[in-house]
Amino acid sequence: MGSAPGIGIIGGGIWAAHHVNAVRDLERQRMARLVAVCARTQQTVSRLCEQYRIEGTTDYRDLLARQDIDAVCIVTPDHLHREMTVAAARAGKHILVEKPMDLSVKGCDEMLEAARENRVMLFVDFHKRYDPVQQKVRDLIGERRLGTIEYGYAYMEDKIIVPRDWLSKWAAQTTPFWFLGIHQVDLLRWTLNSEVRNVLAHSFRGKLEGLGIDTPDAVKAELKFENGAVVTVDVSWILPEGFEAVVNQGLRLVGTEGLIEVDTQDRGAAGCFSGGTMETYNTNAAKVTINALGQSTYSGYFIDPIKEFLHLVGYLKDGGDLQSIKGKYPSGEDGREATRIAAAVDQSIAKGIPIAVCQNDGSSPDV
C-alpha cells in the first residue's frame, strides 16, 4: 500500500465538520491525510486552521493547485458546486460533492464530462442511502416482499431555523425541494430501482417571503415511476422552532403483497430537560464513541458515505480502476438524474401542468 491520500475540504460551514471528522478517523488508521481547508472568509479559515492544525486558504484554486492533495470534498452552497467540481476534475482530484450536484442538467453534464476527461471519481453525497433503515426497505423491495409497489408517500421537513438562520446568505438561491426533496428523489430511485418519468408539482409561499427570503415554504410533488409506482413527496422548511427535531421525515410504500412504514424522525430516543422543549434524537445519523485512549470515532449515515469515498480514493491511488467500482457508489450519473427530476418539479410548478422527465427524443426539461 502506498502513502495515504491527501484530502482537501472546500467549505467551512456546519456540514464541513462531518467531513473533517471522517478524514481524521481514517488519518489515525493511516488511510487518509487532512491536508488543507478552504473557506469563504479569512476569519473562518484561521479558526479551522487553529482548531484542526492544518493549512488553509480563502481561494479554492490555491487548494486545488497543491500536489499533496489527491481528492477534495466540496461542501459549499448548491450554486457553487459546478464551478468548483469542474476545476477540481481538471486539476486531477477525485471529488465528493454535496447534493444537489448542480441546479441544472446542463451543469451536471459539464461536471460529468470534466470527470470523465480527467479520469477522476465523482461521488455525490446522497447520505440517505447509508441509513440502515432505508437499506432494509430497499432489501425488502428487492426480495419482492411487498410485491409490486403501487403507491407511496415520502416527506422531509426542516425547522425554520434552517433557511432563516443556517442558510440565511443563500436560501433565496435554492428551494426546499432542491435542499430536501433531492434526498427523497435519489432515495426513491435507488429504493425502487426505477426512474421517474413524470412529475406534477405545487409550491406554497408566504412565511419565508414575509421574512424577506424569496423562496417557497413548501413543495408537493407527485412522481410517477417507470415501473408504475406513484409516490408523493412533500418537503418544507418552516416547521416551528419548538418542534422536537431539526428534521421530520418518513416514508410509506404500499405494494400488491404488503406495505412498509418508516418513521425516520422518531427513532426511539427522546428527552425533555429544564429550560427546553421535547427533543428526539436520530441515533443513526451521527454517532461518537470514545475508545480507551480517549480518541473520538465517528460513524452513522452522515459519516459513512464520506468514509466510503475516502476508501475508494485510497483504492484508486494504489492503482485501482474506476471502471471496477462503477455503480457501487452514488455517482455523478445519479446526481444528474436527481437534478433532472428536480428541474422537472420546478417546471411543473411554473407551468401548472405535469412534466415528462425524459422526452421521447431523450431531451430533458429546463436544462
Side-chain angles (χ1 to χ4, degrees):
M1 182 176 177
S3 61
I7 309 298
I9 297 175
I10 303 175
I14 295 171
W15 203 259
H18 294 306
H19 291 259
V20 171
N21 292 335
V23 178
R24 279 287 157 87
D25 270 8
L26 295 194
E27 197 168 54
R28 286 198 296 271
Q29 302 171 42
R30 300 182 181 179
M31 300 178 71
R33 294 178 295 112
L34 182 57
V35 176
V37 65
C38 173
R40 185 176 59 87
T41 68
Q42 186 58 54
Q43 181 180 12
T44 301
V45 170
S46 298
R47 174 178 58 81
L48 294 172
C49 290
E50 181 179 357
Q51 182 177 358
Y52 300 119
R53 297 181 181 179
I54 56 175
E55 297 180 38
T57 178
T58 57
D59 190 336
Y60 74 90
R61 289 171 289 255
D62 292 341
L63 185 147
L64 294 178
R66 295 185 62 135
Q67 296 303 306
D68 55 351
I69 289 180
D70 300 288
V72 293
C73 298
I74 297 175
V75 198
T76 60
D78 303 348
H79 59 283
L80 300 177
H81 292 172
R82 180 195 57 78
E83 176 186 312
M84 293 175 175
T85 296
V86 170
R90 290 173 179 168
K93 316 300 185 187
H94 298 296
I95 303 150
L96 183 155
V97 63
E98 284 298 330
K99 57 76 205 167
M101 182 174 158
D102 189 59
L103 301 177
S104 74
V105 178
K106 183 178 180 180
C108 291
D109 285 338
E110 185 178 347
M111 296 158 78
L112 279 164
E113 183 179 359
R116 283 193 293 263
E117 287 180 351
N118 294 279
R119 296 190 54 76
V120 297
M121 174 174 50
L122 179 53
F123 187 116
V124 183
D125 188 15
F126 285 126
H127 60 252
K128 298 293 289 180
R129 295 188 183 198
Y130 293 78
D131 185 339
V133 176
Q134 304 289 2
Q135 291 172 346
K136 181 62 176 179
V137 173
R138 185 174 191 258
D139 289 344
L140 290 170
I141 291 174
E143 294 165 5
R144 302 285 298 172
R145 296 289 299 278
L146 279 72
T148 300
I149 302 299
E150 294 191 341
Y151 68 93
Y153 169 65
Y155 61 93
M156 197 168 185
E157 303 157 333
D158 273 354
K159 288 166 68 167
I160 196 168
I161 62 173
V162 174
R164 189 195 64 197
D165 303 338
W166 294 4
L167 309 181
S168 60
K169 290 183 172 62
W170 60 279
Q173 294 175 267
T174 186
T175 73
F177 202 87
W178 284 105
F179 190 71
L180 298 171
I182 204 84
H183 276 303
Q184 297 295 350
V185 163
D186 178 73
L187 189 62
L188 288 166
R189 285 184 63 245
W190 180 72
T191 300
L192 299 177
N193 193 28
S194 184
E195 297 296 345
V196 175
R197 287 297 174 240
N198 189 277
V199 306
L200 176 61
H202 311 273
S203 69
F204 307 87
R205 288 176 171 265
K207 179 71 173 180
L208 291 171
E209 286 185 336
L211 298 174
I213 304 172
D214 184 18
T215 192
D217 297 338
V219 173
K220 174 184 282 289
E222 181 184 277
L223 311 181
K224 185 171 184 179
F225 286 81
E226 197 169 50
N227 63 7
V230 178
V231 182
T232 300
V233 176
D234 284 353
V235 295
S236 78
W237 50 4
I238 58 165
L239 295 190
E241 289 184 67
F243 188 75
E244 58 192 289
V246 173
V247 186
N248 185 41
Q249 51 189 324
L251 171 70
R252 185 175 191 266
L253 295 172
V254 179
T256 55
E257 302 298 329
L259 64 84
I260 190 160
E261 296 179 338
V262 182
D263 186 339
T264 44
Q265 185 268 328
D266 181 2
R267 295 173 185 260
C272 186
F273 311 99
S274 180
T277 59
M278 194 70 183
E279 295 182 59
T280 58
Y281 306 98
N282 185 347
T283 54
N284 283 0
K287 296 178 282 187
V288 185
T289 55
I290 310 296
N291 65 19
L293 300 175
Q295 298 168 328
S296 299
T297 299
Y298 298 85
S299 61
Y301 67 80
F302 285 177
I303 307 294
D304 295 344
I306 304 169
K307 287 187 175 180
E308 178 154 89
F309 168 72
L310 299 173
H311 284 300
L312 292 175
V313 170
Y315 164 77
L316 295 170
K317 183 176 173 65
D318 286 340
D321 180 46
L322 269 173
Q323 189 63 29
S324 67
I325 57 175
K326 185 176 180 180
K328 297 180 180 178
Y329 59 91
S331 66
E333 286 81 7
D334 291 313
R336 177 177 57 189
E337 290 311 304
T339 288
R340 194 191 307 277
I341 296 162
V345 166
D346 280 353
Q347 192 171 6
S348 179
I349 290 170
K351 295 186 175 183
I353 60 173
I355 298 294
V357 174
C358 189
Q359 307 295 339
N360 291 332
D361 61 0
S363 63
S364 303
D366 196 22
V367 299

